[in-house]
């Protein structure tokens, strides 16, 4: 389930359990890939740790997400998290 460790990101330690138990409570689906797509649309990014010159494989099913305005104890920043606007080119 999700966890705040540093306060500047959140972890989903068991994606299967998260999708089965948490997502249906707040969304009309239980699809982790759809949840990640939604996070990306709002500017959240998956955190990738680089140590000793190589990528470190995360623990079993640990996925970490971060957004510059999603910080524990800084609720006033949440209003800055907005869905990305995609530009649509018009055909003439």
């Amino acid at each position: 389930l999700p966890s705040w460790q540093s306060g500047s990101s959140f972890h989903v330690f068991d994606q299967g359990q998260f999708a089965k138990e948490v997502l249906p409570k707040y969304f009309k689906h239980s699809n982790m890939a759809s949840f990640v797509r939604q996070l990306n649309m709002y500017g959240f990014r998956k955190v990738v740790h680089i140590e000793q010159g190589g990528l470190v494989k995360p623990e079993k099913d640990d996925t970490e997400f971060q957004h510059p305005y999603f910080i524990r104890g800084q609720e006033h920043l949440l209003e800055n998290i907005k869905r990305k606007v995609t530009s649509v080119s018009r055909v003439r």
Side-chain angles (χ1 to χ4, degrees), residues 7-79:
S8 62
S9 66
F10 70 94
H11 290 253
V12 176
F13 289 108
D14 185 331
Q15 291 183 24
Q17 184 180 6
F18 180 79
K20 182 179 175 184
E21 296 178 15
V22 178
L23 290 181
K25 290 182 181 179
Y26 303 99
F27 300 95
K28 295 178 182 176
H29 65 80
S30 60
N31 186 321
M32 187 65 185
S34 295
F35 176 68
V36 171
R37 262 194 310 278
Q38 289 293 316
L39 287 175
N40 290 335
M41 279 196 270
Y42 283 87
F44 283 81
R45 291 289 167 247
K46 186 174 178 181
V47 176
V48 177
H49 295 281
I50 300 175
E51 293 177 7
Q52 300 171 347
L55 292 177
V56 175
K57 186 172 182 168
E59 293 300 319
K60 184 181 168 234
D61 200 15
D62 180 5
T63 306
E64 182 179 3
F65 297 96
Q66 174 277 328
H67 189 287
Y69 295 124
F70 194 71
I71 302 170
R72 182 181 7 194
Q74 303 293 316
E75 290 83 7
H76 65 282
L77 295 176
L78 293 175
E79 66 188 36

